[in-house]
Amino acid sequence: MPQVDAKLNAFPVFVRVEGEAVAIVGGGEQALAKARLIEQSSAVLRIIAQNVEPDLLAFIAQSGASHIAAVYDASQLDGAVMVFAASGDDTLDRRVAADARRLGIPVNAVDRPELCDFFTPALVNRAPVAIAIGTEGAGPVLAQMLRSRIDRMLSPSFGRLAALAASFRTAAERLPKGNIRRRFWSDFFGGAPARAIEAGELSRAYEAATDLLLSNAPASGHIALVGAGPGAEDLLTLRAHRLLMEADVIVHDALVPEAVIAMGRRDAERLAVGKRKGCHTKSQAEINALLVELGRQGKRVVRLKSGDPLVFGRAGEEMAALRDAGIAYEVVPGVTAAFAAAADFELPLTLRGVSSSMVFTTGHDLKGNSLPDWAKLAISGATVAVYMGRSVAAEVAGRLIEAGLSPDTAVAVVENASLANRRRFHGTLADLPSLEARADLSGPVMTIIGDAVAGANFERSEPLAAHRVAGASVAAEGVQP
């Protein structure tokens, strides 16, 4: 994976070329490729070559490009805002690059990155919208692959929608800055105007945009309870990503990585509300009140929760508070830690003939004088996923063994599930108490218990038995010495 602190050696910019000359030196295939790229702009194209291949001649005739049919001379570059050295002749291309730099004109030498002041991108053209993809000359084929994918994602009507937006920009700037103006543009690009453009109905799109502009209805707040997943940012759902890009405020827990939070709008307000074990910066009641207040202010809020909001995420309390206050909300599922841990182990949570049911629990459910009902399910063969159970591992093991679960039952443990720095451990229920002594396990720990665990892949896993501490087996057996 790329390093977070990697720096670009070429900074992407868009250069104004309307009515300006762009010079291409060369008469063959390389020159034709660059000419076709520049033709997508409103630049004045100047082809410099004494000998020109038939395909490029046909292009010049069709496009109306200027053709200087003479031996190359530096004076032919005068007035150009960009130069392409595309002759295929190393000596000539180096001369063109040197001349362009002497004249203060940025130059690109085809297939010679060391001679380039700039690199031409793979271009997705939805004029006036353009998406440029560059690799600093390192991987043109990769750039073209990415261009193809993005091209398929964007409707051909996207450019027409952007052009309509440009016609409303002055009027929209009269709206108050902040939430109201942002809401107009969000509804413009995601609502009735966009749908009308997609249907080819330009007049209806204009009317819909005008209605949005003149609407005096106060902005209504909306809270999205969003699952951030187990940690890896590429496990975020598409809906979660869209809501993050639309959010005015992102209210996030401590366990949500910065890489996930950063997928939201750069100007969105970020509010950390803690919720890490033993360190809560806000109580649940305070979080509930905050969400209600933001909703009443008309804000679009993403309440970003680690894993899935509905699995030990206390979403029930937040939904109840929002319902009581009459604030609109929705729930967006996320990949819960149990699924990520199972994937890290290639572990089937259900296995035909072995386990056909699952239990999600926390180790703290086993505290108290009586065993919870799900303990009977574990004994009957259910796969048990224990969240946040490292500090009570001995008690979890002891109580389950006391209830009748075999000490030899297979166990899989993952720290930092889904992340590159994850650590995997395997063993038996009798080995589980050793987790409590593992001060080196500082990340979230997920434990999966059951016969189905035996089907996991342990090739990249460490045995828990290597860290068993004195007395652990006694504690695990739940027997008083």
Side-chain angles (χ1 to χ4, degrees):
M1 295 181 65
Q3 297 182 7
V4 175
D5 59 353
K7 302 291 187 181
L8 290 171
N9 293 319
F11 188 80
V13 297
F14 288 90
V15 178
R16 289 187 179 275
V17 295
E18 182 180 6
E20 301 287 352
V22 173
I24 299 176
V25 179
E29 184 178 339
Q30 291 182 348
L32 177 59
K34 296 305 179 186
R36 284 173 171 162
L37 179 66
I38 299 301
E39 190 198 17
Q40 297 181 60
S41 74
S42 56
V44 177
L45 193 53
R46 183 189 302 169
I47 308 292
I48 303 168
Q50 186 176 31
N51 300 309
V52 178
E53 293 182 2
D55 286 347
L56 182 53
L57 276 175
F59 172 87
I60 292 171
Q62 175 269 325
S63 66
S66 170
H67 178 205
I68 300 178
V71 175
Y72 167 75
D73 183 84
S75 63
Q76 297 158 349
L77 305 181
D78 286 346
V81 295
M82 286 191 295
V83 171
F84 290 91
S87 70
D89 181 308
D90 183 69
T91 301
L92 177 56
D93 284 349
R94 289 181 180 277
R95 180 183 164 198
V96 171
D99 288 341
R101 289 200 180 95
R102 179 173 50 79
L103 294 168
I105 307 171
V107 63
N108 173 281
V110 178
D111 291 338
R112 293 176 176 84
E114 73 280 5
L115 297 181
C116 292
D117 295 325
F118 66 92
F119 302 98
T120 53
L123 187 64
V124 179
N125 185 356
R126 297 290 189 275
V129 175
I131 299 174
I133 305 158
T135 62
E136 298 182 8
V141 173
L142 173 61
Q144 290 297 334
M145 289 172 60
L146 293 173
R147 185 199 67 79
S148 179
R149 293 182 187 180
I150 295 172
D151 203 30
R152 290 194 299 268
M153 291 170 56
L154 298 181
S155 167
S157 67
F158 202 79
R160 294 193 294 274
L161 181 62
L164 179 64
S167 71
F168 275 86
R169 182 171 179 177
T170 300
E173 287 180 350
R174 299 192 189 103
L175 295 172
K177 287 185 178 180
N179 190 38
I180 293 177
R181 188 184 299 180
R182 195 158 46 239
R183 186 67 55 86
F184 166 78
W185 285 119
S186 178
D187 291 342
F188 180 97
F189 288 112
R195 290 191 294 272
I197 286 288
E198 184 73 24
E201 300 176 357
L202 182 58
S203 60
R204 185 162 69 88
Y206 185 89
E207 292 171 1
T210 302
D211 290 343
L212 281 178
L213 193 65
L214 299 178
S215 174
N216 293 318
S220 55
H222 180 271
I223 315 296
L225 307 180
V226 173
E233 62 268 29
D234 55 356
L235 288 179
L236 201 69
T237 65
L238 292 174
R239 184 182 299 179
H241 191 193
R242 174 177 60 79
L243 289 168
L244 277 169
M245 292 300 296
E246 295 173 355
D248 304 309
V249 184
I250 300 171
V251 180
H252 61 91
D253 286 344
L255 287 177
V256 178
E258 171 61 25
V260 174
I261 301 169
M263 295 177 78
R265 277 205 350 257
R266 283 182 297 177
D267 59 342
E269 183 180 4
R270 300 179 181 184
L271 301 177
V273 292
K275 308 298 288 179
R276 186 187 294 274
K277 182 180 178 182
C279 182
H280 292 185
T281 60
K282 286 186 179 293
S283 69
Q284 187 60 53
E286 290 173 324
I287 294 172
N288 296 347
L290 173 64
L291 295 177
V292 169
E293 177 60 25
L294 291 171
R296 285 175 173 163
Q297 292 174 11
K299 300 293 181 68
R300 290 189 176 182
V301 180
V302 165
R303 170 70 173 104
L304 202 54
K305 293 172 172 288
S306 181
D308 184 282
L310 304 177
V311 180
F312 305 118
R314 303 188 74 169
E317 298 167 55
E318 295 174 6
M319 289 188 290
L322 294 169
R323 277 196 301 268
D324 291 344
I327 305 297
Y329 68 89
E330 66 177 295
V331 180
V332 179
V335 176
T336 190
F339 295 155
D344 286 341
F345 260 109
E346 302 170 26
L347 187 164
L349 291 169
T350 60
L351 192 61
R352 187 168 59 178
V354 177
S355 177
S356 59
S357 56
M358 281 197 64
V359 173
F360 288 177
T361 185
T362 69
H364 305 285
D365 281 351
L366 283 168
K367 289 189 173 182
N369 296 323
S370 60
L371 282 169
D373 291 339
W374 63 256
K376 299 174 184 177
L377 293 174
I379 297 167
S380 66
T383 303
V384 179
V386 184
Y387 290 69
M388 302 167 288
R390 186 186 71 81
S391 63
V392 291
E395 187 164 5
V396 169
R399 295 299 299 278
L400 286 175
I401 292 172
E402 181 183 282
L405 195 61
S406 170
D408 294 328
T409 303
V411 170
V413 178
V414 183
E415 178 197 28
N416 295 322
S418 82
L419 296 175
N421 64 340
R422 60 184 174 268
R423 299 171 69 189
R424 286 161 279 211
F425 307 91
H426 67 275
T428 66
L429 194 57
D431 300 324
L432 194 59
S434 66
L435 283 179
E436 288 193 33
R438 296 291 300 273
D440 59 314
L441 299 180
S442 57
V445 171
M446 188 77 219
T447 303
I448 303 176
I449 304 168
D451 292 335
V453 175
N457 182 350
F458 299 125
E459 290 181 2
R460 295 181 296 277
S461 174
E462 304 174 36
L464 282 169
H467 298 273
R468 288 182 65 167
V469 296
S473 60
V474 174
E477 291 174 8
V479 179
Q480 297 295 326

